[in-house]
Amino acid sequence: MSAHCQLTGAKPGFGNTISHSHRRTSRRFDPNVQRKHYWLPSEGRHVRLTLSARAIRTVDTIGIEAAVARIRARGGKV
């Protein structure tokens, strides 16, 4: 599963793990992405979205119709 949020565009950040001896190795900071199913009443079907935890709260606030409109406005496929 790609660590990329369809609504917010959150994607992995990169940095370093610093050990006790201060040696640095690269690492990845992945966003907390989940696959969620939502019922989309305007189209009469279910949609499956890959969303970050923050985006799931956003969908709860603005509604699935507005969220899908935002995803499509960003050029995403639903």
Coordinates of all heavy atoms in Angstrom, one line a residue:
M1 N 0.8 -1.2 0.0 CA 0.0 0.0 0.0 C 0.9 1.2 0.0 O 1.8 1.4 0.8 CB -0.9 0.0 1.2 CG -1.7 1.2 1.4 SD -3.0 1.0 2.6 CE -2.1 0.8 4.1
S2 N 0.6 2.1 -0.9 CA 1.4 3.4 -1.0 C 1.1 4.3 0.2 O -0.1 4.4 0.6 CB 1.0 4.1 -2.3 OG 1.5 5.4 -2.3
A3 N 2.1 4.8 0.8 CA 1.9 5.7 2.0 C 1.6 7.1 1.5 O 2.4 8.0 1.6 CB 3.2 5.7 2.8
H4 N 0.4 7.3 0.9 CA 0.1 8.6 0.3 C -1.4 8.8 0.5 O -2.2 7.9 0.2 CB 0.4 8.6 -1.2 CG 0.0 9.8 -1.9 ND1 0.7 10.9 -1.9 CD2 -1.1 10.1 -2.7 CE1 0.1 11.9 -2.6 NE2 -1.0 11.3 -3.1
C5 N -1.8 10.0 1.0 CA -3.2 10.3 1.3 C -3.8 10.9 0.1 O -3.3 11.9 -0.4 CB -3.3 11.2 2.5 SG -5.0 11.7 2.9
Q6 N -5.0 10.4 -0.3 CA -5.7 11.0 -1.4 C -6.3 12.4 -1.2 O -6.4 13.2 -2.1 CB -6.8 10.1 -1.9 CG -6.3 8.8 -2.5 CD -7.5 7.9 -2.9 OE1 -8.2 7.4 -2.1 NE2 -7.6 7.7 -4.2
L7 N -6.7 12.7 0.1 CA -7.4 13.9 0.4 C -6.4 15.0 0.7 O -6.4 16.1 0.1 CB -8.3 13.7 1.5 CG -9.1 14.9 2.0 CD1 -10.0 15.5 0.8 CD2 -10.0 14.6 3.2
T8 N -5.4 14.8 1.6 CA -4.5 15.8 2.0 C -3.2 15.8 1.3 O -2.5 16.8 1.3 CB -4.2 15.7 3.5 OG1 -3.5 14.4 3.7 CG2 -5.4 15.8 4.4
G9 N -2.9 14.7 0.6 CA -1.6 14.7 -0.2 C -0.5 14.3 0.7 O 0.7 14.5 0.3
A10 N -0.7 13.9 2.0 CA 0.4 13.6 2.9 C 1.2 12.4 2.3 O 0.6 11.4 1.8 CB -0.2 13.2 4.3
K11 N 2.5 12.5 2.3 CA 3.3 11.5 1.8 C 4.5 11.3 2.8 O 4.7 12.2 3.7 CB 3.8 11.7 0.4 CG 4.4 13.1 0.2 CD 4.6 13.3 -1.3 CE 5.2 14.7 -1.5 NZ 5.2 15.1 -2.9
P12 N 5.4 10.3 2.6 CA 6.5 10.1 3.5 C 7.5 11.2 3.6 O 7.7 11.9 2.6 CB 7.2 8.8 3.0 CG 6.1 8.1 2.2 CD 5.3 9.2 1.6
G13 N 8.0 11.5 4.8 CA 9.1 12.4 5.0 C 10.3 11.6 5.2 O 10.2 10.5 5.6
F14 N 11.5 12.2 5.0 CA 12.7 11.5 5.1 C 13.6 12.2 6.1 O 13.6 13.4 6.2 CB 13.4 11.3 3.8 CG 12.6 10.5 2.8 CD1 11.7 11.1 2.0 CD2 12.8 9.1 2.8 CE1 10.9 10.3 1.1 CE2 12.1 8.3 1.9 CZ 11.1 8.9 1.1
G15 N 14.4 11.5 6.8 CA 15.3 12.0 7.8 C 16.4 11.0 8.2 O 16.6 10.1 7.5
N16 N 16.9 11.2 9.4 CA 17.9 10.3 9.9 C 17.6 9.7 11.2 O 17.0 10.4 12.0 CB 19.3 11.0 10.0 CG 19.9 11.4 8.7 OD1 20.0 10.6 7.8 ND2 20.2 12.7 8.5
T17 N 18.0 8.4 11.4 CA 17.9 7.9 12.7 C 19.3 8.1 13.3 O 20.3 7.8 12.7 CB 17.7 6.3 12.7 OG1 16.4 6.1 12.1 CG2 17.8 5.7 14.0
I18 N 19.4 8.7 14.5 CA 20.7 9.0 15.1 C 20.8 8.0 16.3 O 20.0 8.1 17.3 CB 20.7 10.4 15.6 CG1 20.5 11.3 14.3 CG2 22.1 10.7 16.2 CD1 20.6 12.8 14.6
S19 N 21.9 7.2 16.3 CA 22.1 6.2 17.3 C 22.7 6.9 18.6 O 23.1 8.1 18.5 CB 23.0 5.1 16.8 OG 24.3 5.6 16.6
H20 N 22.9 6.1 19.6 CA 23.6 6.6 20.8 C 25.0 7.1 20.5 O 25.4 8.1 21.1 CB 23.6 5.5 21.9 CG 24.3 5.9 23.1 ND1 23.7 6.8 24.0 CD2 25.4 5.5 23.7 CE1 24.5 6.9 25.0 NE2 25.6 6.2 24.9
S21 N 25.7 6.4 19.6 CA 27.0 6.9 19.2 C 27.0 8.0 18.2 O 28.1 8.4 17.7 CB 27.8 5.7 18.6 OG 27.2 5.2 17.5
H22 N 25.8 8.5 17.8 CA 25.6 9.6 16.9 C 25.9 9.3 15.5 O 26.1 10.1 14.7 CB 26.4 10.8 17.4 CG 25.6 12.1 17.2 ND1 24.4 12.4 17.8 CD2 25.8 13.1 16.3 CE1 24.0 13.5 17.4 NE2 24.8 14.0 16.5
R23 N 25.8 8.0 15.1 CA 25.9 7.6 13.7 C 24.5 7.8 13.1 O 23.5 7.6 13.8 CB 26.3 6.1 13.6 CG 27.7 5.8 14.1 CD 28.1 4.4 13.8 NE 28.2 4.2 12.4 CZ 29.0 3.3 11.8 NH1 29.7 2.5 12.6 NH2 29.1 3.2 10.5
R24 N 24.5 8.2 11.9 CA 23.3 8.5 11.2 C 23.0 7.5 10.1 O 23.8 7.3 9.2 CB 23.3 10.0 10.6 CG 23.4 10.9 11.7 CD 23.6 12.3 11.3 NE 23.7 13.2 12.4 CZ 24.0 14.4 12.4 NH1 24.3 15.0 11.3 NH2 24.0 15.1 13.5
T25 N 21.8 7.0 10.1 CA 21.3 6.2 9.0 C 20.0 6.7 8.5 O 19.2 7.3 9.3 CB 21.1 4.7 9.4 OG1 20.3 4.7 10.6 CG2 22.5 4.1 9.8
S26 N 19.7 6.6 7.2 CA 18.4 7.3 6.8 C 17.2 6.4 7.1 O 17.3 5.2 7.3 CB 18.5 7.6 5.3 OG 18.7 6.5 4.5
R27 N 16.1 7.1 7.3 CA 14.8 6.5 7.6 C 13.7 7.3 7.0 O 13.9 8.3 6.4 CB 14.6 6.5 9.1 CG 14.6 7.8 9.8 CD 13.9 7.8 11.1 NE 12.5 7.5 11.0 CZ 11.7 7.4 12.0 NH1 12.2 7.5 13.3 NH2 10.5 7.1 11.9
R28 N 12.5 6.7 7.1 CA 11.3 7.3 6.4 C 10.3 7.5 7.5 O 10.0 6.6 8.3 CB 10.8 6.2 5.5 CG 10.3 6.5 4.2 CD 10.1 5.3 3.5 NE 8.7 5.1 3.2 CZ 8.2 4.9 2.0 NH1 9.0 4.8 1.0 NH2 6.9 4.9 1.9
F29 N 9.6 8.6 7.5 CA 8.5 8.9 8.4 C 7.2 8.8 7.6 O 6.8 9.7 6.8 CB 8.6 10.3 8.9 CG 9.8 10.6 9.8 CD1 11.0 11.0 9.3 CD2 9.7 10.3 11.2 CE1 12.1 11.2 10.1 CE2 10.8 10.6 12.0 CZ 12.0 11.0 11.4
D30 N 6.6 7.6 7.7 CA 5.3 7.4 6.9 C 4.1 8.0 7.6 O 4.0 7.9 8.8 CB 5.1 5.9 6.8 CG 6.0 5.2 5.8 OD1 6.4 5.9 4.8 OD2 6.4 4.0 5.9
P31 N 3.2 8.6 6.8 CA 1.9 9.0 7.5 C 1.1 7.8 7.8 O 1.2 6.7 7.2 CB 1.3 9.9 6.3 CG 1.9 9.3 5.1 CD 3.3 8.9 5.4
N32 N 0.2 8.0 8.7 CA -0.7 7.0 9.2 C -1.9 6.8 8.2 O -2.9 7.4 8.4 CB -1.2 7.3 10.6 CG -2.1 6.2 11.2 OD1 -2.2 5.1 10.6 ND2 -2.8 6.5 12.3
V33 N -1.7 6.1 7.1 CA -2.7 5.9 6.1 C -3.5 4.7 6.3 O -2.9 3.6 6.7 CB -2.1 6.0 4.7 CG1 -1.6 7.4 4.4 CG2 -1.1 5.0 4.4
Q34 N -4.8 4.7 6.1 CA -5.7 3.6 6.2 C -6.6 3.6 4.9 O -6.8 4.6 4.3 CB -6.7 3.9 7.4 CG -6.0 4.3 8.7 CD -5.2 3.2 9.3 OE1 -5.6 2.1 9.2 NE2 -4.1 3.6 9.9
R35 N -7.0 2.4 4.6 CA -8.0 2.2 3.5 C -9.4 2.2 4.1 O -9.7 1.4 5.0 CB -7.7 1.0 2.7 CG -6.5 1.1 1.9 CD -6.1 -0.2 1.1 NE -7.0 -0.4 0.0 CZ -6.7 -0.1 -1.2 NH1 -5.6 0.4 -1.5 NH2 -7.6 -0.4 -2.2
K36 N -10.3 3.1 3.7 CA -11.6 3.3 4.2 C -12.6 3.2 3.1 O -12.4 3.7 2.0 CB -11.8 4.6 4.9 CG -11.0 4.8 6.2 CD -11.6 4.1 7.3 CE -12.9 4.9 7.8 NZ -13.5 4.3 8.9
H37 N -13.8 2.5 3.4 CA -14.9 2.4 2.5 C -15.9 3.4 2.9 O -16.3 3.5 4.1 CB -15.5 1.0 2.5 CG -14.6 -0.1 2.0 ND1 -14.7 -0.5 0.7 CD2 -13.6 -0.8 2.6 CE1 -13.8 -1.5 0.5 NE2 -13.1 -1.6 1.6
Y38 N -16.4 4.2 2.0 CA -17.5 5.1 2.2 C -18.6 4.9 1.2 O -18.4 4.6 0.1 CB -17.0 6.6 2.1 CG -16.1 7.0 3.2 CD1 -14.7 7.0 3.1 CD2 -16.6 7.4 4.5 CE1 -13.9 7.4 4.1 CE2 -15.8 7.8 5.5 CZ -14.4 7.8 5.3 OH -13.6 8.2 6.3
W39 N -19.9 5.1 1.6 CA -21.0 5.1 0.7 C -21.1 6.5 0.1 O -21.2 7.5 0.9 CB -22.3 4.7 1.5 CG -23.5 4.8 0.6 CD1 -24.5 5.7 0.8 CD2 -23.9 4.0 -0.5 NE1 -25.4 5.5 -0.2 CE2 -25.1 4.5 -1.0 CE3 -23.3 2.9 -1.1 CZ2 -25.8 3.9 -2.0 CZ3 -23.9 2.3 -2.2 CH2 -25.2 2.8 -2.6
L40 N -21.2 6.6 -1.2 CA -21.3 7.9 -1.9 C -22.7 7.9 -2.5 O -23.0 7.4 -3.5 CB -20.2 7.9 -3.0 CG -20.0 9.3 -3.7 CD1 -19.6 10.3 -2.6 CD2 -18.9 9.1 -4.7
P41 N -23.6 8.6 -1.8 CA -25.0 8.6 -2.2 C -25.3 9.2 -3.5 O -26.2 8.7 -4.3 CB -25.8 9.4 -1.1 CG -24.8 9.6 0.0 CD -23.4 9.4 -0.6
S42 N -24.6 10.2 -3.9 CA -24.8 10.9 -5.2 C -24.6 9.9 -6.4 O -25.2 10.1 -7.4 CB -24.0 12.1 -5.4 OG -22.6 11.8 -5.4
E43 N -23.7 9.0 -6.2 CA -23.4 8.0 -7.3 C -23.9 6.7 -7.1 O -23.8 5.8 -7.9 CB -21.8 8.0 -7.5 CG -21.2 9.3 -8.0 CD -19.8 9.2 -8.2 OE1 -19.2 8.1 -8.3 OE2 -19.1 10.3 -8.3
G44 N -24.5 6.5 -5.9 CA -25.1 5.2 -5.6 C -24.1 4.0 -5.5 O -24.4 2.9 -5.9
R45 N -22.9 4.3 -5.0 CA -21.9 3.2 -4.9 C -21.0 3.5 -3.7 O -21.0 4.6 -3.1 CB -21.1 3.2 -6.2 CG -20.3 4.4 -6.4 CD -19.5 4.3 -7.8 NE -18.7 5.5 -8.0 CZ -17.3 5.4 -7.9 NH1 -16.7 4.3 -7.6 NH2 -16.6 6.5 -8.1
H46 N -20.2 2.5 -3.4 CA -19.2 2.6 -2.4 C -17.9 3.1 -3.0 O -17.6 2.7 -4.2 CB -18.9 1.2 -1.7 CG -20.0 0.8 -0.8 ND1 -20.1 1.2 0.5 CD2 -21.1 0.0 -1.0 CE1 -21.2 0.7 1.1 NE2 -21.8 -0.1 0.2
V47 N -17.1 3.8 -2.3 CA -15.8 4.2 -2.8 C -14.8 3.8 -1.7 O -15.1 3.8 -0.5 CB -15.7 5.7 -3.0 CG1 -16.5 6.2 -4.2 CG2 -16.0 6.6 -1.8
R48 N -13.6 3.4 -2.1 CA -12.6 3.0 -1.2 C -11.5 4.0 -1.4 O -10.9 4.2 -2.5 CB -12.0 1.6 -1.6 CG -11.0 1.1 -0.6 CD -10.6 -0.3 -0.7 NE -10.4 -0.6 -2.1 CZ -10.2 -1.9 -2.6 NH1 -10.4 -2.9 -1.7 NH2 -10.0 -2.1 -3.8
L49 N -11.1 4.7 -0.3 CA -10.1 5.8 -0.3 C -9.0 5.4 0.6 O -9.1 4.7 1.6 CB -10.8 7.1 0.2 CG -12.0 7.6 -0.6 CD1 -12.5 8.8 0.1 CD2 -11.6 7.9 -2.0
T50 N -7.8 5.9 0.2 CA -6.6 5.7 1.1 C -6.4 7.1 1.7 O -6.1 8.1 1.1 CB -5.4 5.4 0.2 OG1 -5.7 4.2 -0.5 CG2 -4.2 5.1 1.1
L51 N -6.7 7.1 3.0 CA -6.7 8.4 3.8 C -5.8 8.3 5.0 O -5.6 7.3 5.6 CB -8.1 8.7 4.3 CG -9.2 8.9 3.2 CD1 -10.5 9.0 3.9 CD2 -8.9 10.0 2.3
S52 N -5.2 9.5 5.3 CA -4.4 9.6 6.6 C -5.4 9.7 7.7 O -6.6 10.0 7.5 CB -3.5 10.8 6.6 OG -4.3 12.0 6.5
A53 N -5.0 9.5 9.0 CA -5.9 9.6 10.1 C -6.5 11.0 10.2 O -7.6 11.2 10.6 CB -5.1 9.2 11.4
R54 N -5.7 12.0 9.9 CA -6.2 13.4 9.9 C -7.3 13.6 8.9 O -8.3 14.3 9.1 CB -5.0 14.3 9.7 CG -5.5 15.8 9.9 CD -4.3 16.7 9.7 NE -4.1 17.0 8.3 CZ -3.1 17.6 7.8 NH1 -2.0 17.9 8.6 NH2 -3.0 17.9 6.5
A55 N -7.1 13.0 7.7 CA -8.1 13.1 6.6 C -9.4 12.4 7.0 O -10.5 12.8 6.5 CB -7.5 12.6 5.3
I56 N -9.3 11.3 7.7 CA -10.5 10.6 8.1 C -11.4 11.5 9.0 O -12.6 11.6 8.9 CB -10.2 9.3 8.8 CG1 -9.6 8.3 7.9 CG2 -11.4 8.7 9.5 CD1 -9.0 7.0 8.5
R57 N -10.7 12.3 9.9 CA -11.4 13.2 10.8 C -12.0 14.4 9.9 O -13.1 14.9 10.2 CB -10.5 13.8 11.8 CG -10.1 12.8 12.9 CD -9.5 13.4 14.1 NE -8.4 14.2 13.9 CZ -7.1 13.9 13.8 NH1 -6.8 12.6 14.0 NH2 -6.2 14.7 13.6
T58 N -11.3 14.8 8.8 CA -11.8 15.8 7.9 C -13.0 15.3 7.2 O -14.0 16.1 7.1 CB -10.7 16.2 6.9 OG1 -9.5 16.6 7.6 CG2 -11.1 17.3 6.0
V59 N -13.0 14.1 6.8 CA -14.2 13.5 6.1 C -15.4 13.5 7.1 O -16.5 13.8 6.7 CB -13.9 12.1 5.5 CG1 -15.2 11.5 5.0 CG2 -12.9 12.2 4.4
D60 N -15.1 13.2 8.3 CA -16.2 13.2 9.3 C -16.8 14.6 9.5 O -18.0 14.7 9.8 CB -15.7 12.7 10.7 CG -15.4 11.2 10.6 OD1 -15.9 10.5 9.7 OD2 -14.7 10.7 11.5
T61 N -16.0 15.6 9.3 CA -16.4 17.0 9.5 C -17.1 17.5 8.3 O -18.2 18.1 8.4 CB -15.2 17.9 9.9 OG1 -14.5 17.4 11.0 CG2 -15.6 19.3 10.1
I62 N -16.5 17.4 7.1 CA -17.1 18.1 5.9 C -18.0 17.2 5.1 O -18.7 17.7 4.3 CB -15.9 18.6 5.0 CG1 -15.1 17.4 4.4 CG2 -15.1 19.6 5.7 CD1 -14.1 17.9 3.3
G63 N -18.0 15.9 5.4 CA -18.8 14.9 4.6 C -18.1 14.3 3.4 O -17.1 14.9 2.9
I64 N -18.6 13.2 3.0 CA -17.9 12.4 2.0 C -18.1 13.1 0.6 O -17.2 13.1 -0.2 CB -18.4 10.9 1.9 CG1 -17.6 10.1 0.9 CG2 -19.9 10.8 1.7 CD1 -16.1 10.0 1.2
E65 N -19.2 13.7 0.4 CA -19.4 14.4 -0.9 C -18.4 15.5 -1.1 O -17.8 15.6 -2.2 CB -20.8 15.0 -1.0 CG -21.9 13.9 -0.9 CD -22.1 13.1 -2.2 OE1 -21.5 13.4 -3.2 OE2 -22.7 12.0 -2.1
A66 N -18.2 16.4 -0.1 CA -17.2 17.5 -0.2 C -15.8 16.9 -0.3 O -15.0 17.5 -1.0 CB -17.4 18.4 1.0
A67 N -15.5 15.8 0.4 CA -14.2 15.2 0.4 C -13.9 14.7 -1.0 O -12.8 14.9 -1.6 CB -14.1 14.2 1.4
V68 N -14.8 14.0 -1.6 CA -14.6 13.5 -3.0 C -14.5 14.6 -4.0 O -13.6 14.6 -4.9 CB -15.8 12.5 -3.4 CG1 -15.8 12.2 -4.9 CG2 -15.7 11.3 -2.6
A69 N -15.2 15.7 -3.8 CA -15.1 16.9 -4.7 C -13.6 17.5 -4.5 O -13.0 17.9 -5.6 CB -16.1 17.9 -4.3
R70 N -13.1 17.5 -3.3 CA -11.7 18.0 -3.1 C -10.7 17.1 -3.8 O -9.7 17.6 -4.4 CB -11.4 18.1 -1.6 CG -12.0 19.3 -1.0 CD -11.4 19.5 0.4 NE -12.2 20.4 1.2 CZ -11.9 20.7 2.5 NH1 -10.9 20.2 3.1 NH2 -12.6 21.6 3.1
I71 N -10.9 15.8 -3.7 CA -10.0 14.8 -4.3 C -10.0 15.0 -5.8 O -8.9 15.0 -6.4 CB -10.3 13.4 -3.9 CG1 -10.1 13.2 -2.4 CG2 -9.5 12.4 -4.7 CD1 -10.6 11.9 -1.8
R72 N -11.2 15.1 -6.4 CA -11.3 15.3 -7.8 C -10.7 16.6 -8.3 O -10.1 16.7 -9.3 CB -12.7 15.2 -8.2 CG -13.2 13.7 -8.2 CD -14.6 13.5 -8.6 NE -14.9 12.1 -8.7 CZ -16.1 11.6 -8.5 NH1 -17.1 12.4 -8.2 NH2 -16.3 10.3 -8.5
A73 N -10.8 17.7 -7.4 CA -10.3 19.0 -7.8 C -8.7 18.9 -7.8 O -8.1 19.7 -8.5 CB -10.7 20.0 -6.8
R74 N -8.2 18.1 -7.0 CA -6.7 17.9 -6.9 C -6.2 17.0 -8.1 O -5.0 16.8 -8.3 CB -6.2 17.2 -5.6 CG -6.5 18.0 -4.4 CD -6.0 17.3 -3.2 NE -4.5 17.4 -3.1 CZ -3.7 16.3 -3.0 NH1 -4.2 15.1 -2.9 NH2 -2.4 16.4 -3.0
G75 N -7.2 16.5 -8.9 CA -6.8 15.6 -10.0 C -6.8 14.2 -9.7 O -6.3 13.4 -10.5
G76 N -7.3 13.8 -8.5 CA -7.3 12.4 -8.1 C -8.5 11.6 -8.7 O -9.5 12.2 -9.1
K77 N -8.3 10.3 -8.8 CA -9.3 9.4 -9.3 C -10.1 8.8 -8.1 O -9.4 8.3 -7.2 CB -8.7 8.4 -10.2 CG -9.7 7.4 -10.9 CD -8.9 6.5 -11.8 CE -9.8 5.5 -12.4 NZ -10.1 4.4 -11.6
V78 N -11.4 8.8 -8.2 CA -12.2 8.2 -7.1 C -13.1 7.1 -7.8 O -13.7 7.3 -8.8 CB -13.1 9.2 -6.4 CG1 -14.0 8.5 -5.4 CG2 -12.3 10.2 -5.8

